[in-house]
Amino acid sequence: MVRYHFFFTGRVQSVGFRYKASYLAKEYGLTGFVKNEYDGSVSLEIQGLDEKITELVECLKRDRVIRIYSMSKEKIDLVEGEKDFKIKF
């Protein structure tokens, strides 16, 4: 189990990014949250198996509407007891 904090820039707001990330996280059994930032970027904190997190990010990169121009990734501490994935507003 690992947890990462991602920042995505590009055409990532108003294109279904949060909803797709939420759908994929639930499909892959991942927990955490995704939210839009005021500067137009999107933050994603995600926890689970490293391979599944990689699959989720690759699916987002391949989306026909979402355009990720840059992405940063930082490993952070696990959140014990977290049970689901949320979209934060």
Side-chain angles (χ1 to χ4, degrees):
M1 290 278 279
V2 294
R3 185 177 188 93
Y4 293 109
H5 189 176
F6 288 90
F7 282 105
F8 297 94
T9 64
R11 190 170 59 181
V12 293
Q13 289 192 14
S14 301
V15 292
F17 186 104
R18 292 176 301 158
Y19 298 99
K20 182 153 192 176
S22 177
Y23 170 80
L24 291 169
K26 291 172 185 173
E27 285 290 309
Y28 295 143
L30 303 169
T31 62
F33 66 86
V34 63
K35 72 175 190 169
N36 285 345
E37 299 294 343
Y38 292 108
D39 65 359
S41 65
V42 173
S43 291
L44 171 68
E45 268 196 30
I46 195 151
Q47 177 170 304
L49 297 175
D50 205 6
E51 312 83 55
K52 296 297 182 183
I53 294 171
T54 299
E55 286 181 44
L56 178 143
V57 172
E58 289 304 314
C59 284
L60 292 172
K61 287 180 179 178
R62 288 191 306 266
D63 189 89
R64 295 182 324 177
V65 179
I66 296 167
R67 294 289 177 260
I68 297 170
Y69 299 148
S70 70
M71 175 185 83
S72 64
K73 173 181 169 184
E74 176 184 1
K75 191 171 185 180
I76 58 176
D77 293 334
L78 293 173
V79 174
E80 298 299 326
E82 187 174 62
K83 299 198 185 317
D84 57 4
F85 189 90
K86 298 178 181 175
I87 296 174
K88 291 190 173 183
F89 296 94

